[in-house]
Amino acid sequence: MNLYIETENGAPKNHPAFEDNILEAFNCIPENWKPFVRVERPVLGEYELFIQDKPTYEIVNGVWTDVWHKRDM
Protein backbone atom coordinates (compact mmCIF):
# COMPACT_ATOMS: atom_id res chain seq x y z
CA MET A 1 0.00 0.00 0.00
CA ASN A 2 1.40 3.40 -1.00
CA LEU A 3 1.85 6.20 1.52
CA TYR A 4 1.85 9.98 1.02
CA ILE A 5 2.69 12.84 3.36
CA GLU A 6 1.14 16.29 3.26
CA THR A 7 3.68 19.10 2.88
CA GLU A 8 3.45 22.82 3.49
CA ASN A 9 6.18 25.25 2.43
CA GLY A 10 8.49 22.30 1.73
CA ALA A 11 8.10 20.77 5.20
CA PRO A 12 6.09 17.70 6.25
CA LYS A 13 2.74 18.37 7.89
CA ASN A 14 1.17 15.71 10.14
CA HIS A 15 1.89 12.03 9.49
CA PRO A 16 1.82 9.86 6.34
CA ALA A 17 -1.55 8.62 5.07
CA PHE A 18 -2.54 5.69 2.88
CA GLU A 19 -3.17 6.46 -0.78
CA ASP A 20 -6.67 4.92 -0.64
CA ASN A 21 -7.69 7.25 2.18
CA ILE A 22 -6.44 10.32 0.31
CA LEU A 23 -8.26 9.26 -2.85
CA GLU A 24 -11.46 8.69 -0.89
CA ALA A 25 -11.20 12.16 0.67
CA PHE A 26 -10.04 14.17 -2.37
CA ASN A 27 -10.75 11.92 -5.43
CA CYS A 28 -7.10 12.50 -6.46
CA ILE A 29 -3.69 13.03 -4.89
CA PRO A 30 -3.34 16.79 -4.26
CA GLU A 31 -0.07 18.43 -5.34
CA ASN A 32 0.99 19.11 -1.75
CA TRP A 33 0.89 15.37 -0.90
CA LYS A 34 4.22 13.70 -1.71
CA PRO A 35 5.16 9.98 -1.85
CA PHE A 36 6.46 8.58 1.43
CA VAL A 37 8.50 5.45 2.15
CA ARG A 38 8.17 3.86 5.60
CA VAL A 39 11.47 2.56 7.05
CA GLU A 40 11.42 0.11 9.95
CA ARG A 41 13.41 0.91 13.07
CA PRO A 42 16.92 -0.51 12.52
CA VAL A 43 18.63 -2.92 14.87
CA LEU A 44 21.40 -1.17 16.74
CA GLY A 45 24.94 -2.42 16.96
CA GLU A 46 26.52 -3.22 20.30
CA TYR A 47 27.84 0.32 20.87
CA GLU A 48 25.12 2.42 19.25
CA LEU A 49 22.26 4.52 20.63
CA PHE A 50 19.29 6.24 19.02
CA ILE A 51 19.47 10.02 19.30
CA GLN A 52 15.67 10.05 19.70
CA ASP A 53 12.99 7.37 20.02
CA LYS A 54 11.05 8.35 16.91
CA PRO A 55 12.14 8.86 13.31
CA THR A 56 12.18 12.23 11.60
CA TYR A 57 10.58 12.75 8.18
CA GLU A 58 13.25 13.78 5.68
CA ILE A 59 13.82 13.71 1.92
CA VAL A 60 16.23 10.94 0.92
CA ASN A 61 17.03 10.52 -2.79
CA GLY A 62 14.09 12.78 -3.65
CA VAL A 63 11.48 10.87 -1.59
CA TRP A 64 10.09 11.58 1.88
CA THR A 65 11.04 8.81 4.30
CA ASP A 66 11.59 7.87 7.95
CA VAL A 67 15.12 8.63 9.09
CA TRP A 68 16.36 7.01 12.31
CA HIS A 69 19.24 9.00 13.80
CA LYS A 70 21.74 7.05 15.83
CA ARG A 71 25.19 7.61 17.29
CA ASP A 72 28.09 5.65 18.66
CA MET A 73 28.59 5.45 22.43
Side-chain angles (χ1 to χ4, degrees):
M1 178 107 8
N2 295 326
L3 290 170
Y4 287 82
I5 192 163
E6 184 178 12
T7 61
E8 186 175 278
N9 297 322
K13 181 180 177 183
N14 299 317
H15 296 285
F18 289 111
E19 180 178 36
D20 292 350
N21 293 342
I22 299 168
L23 291 173
E24 187 173 320
F26 301 110
N27 294 320
C28 66
I29 304 295
E31 286 187 30
N32 63 322
W33 286 81
K34 305 299 181 189
F36 185 90
V37 175
R38 179 67 71 198
V39 175
E40 294 294 322
R41 183 181 178 131
V43 175
L44 293 177
E46 188 171 348
Y47 297 106
E48 294 180 320
L49 296 170
F50 285 112
I51 293 174
Q52 55 191 24
D53 292 332
K54 297 180 182 179
T56 57
Y57 301 147
E58 299 177 22
I59 297 175
V60 176
N61 296 325
V63 179
W64 285 97
T65 188
D66 290 319
V67 175
W68 294 90
H69 296 278
K70 59 185 180 176
R71 67 172 178 84
D72 293 332
M73 289 181 158

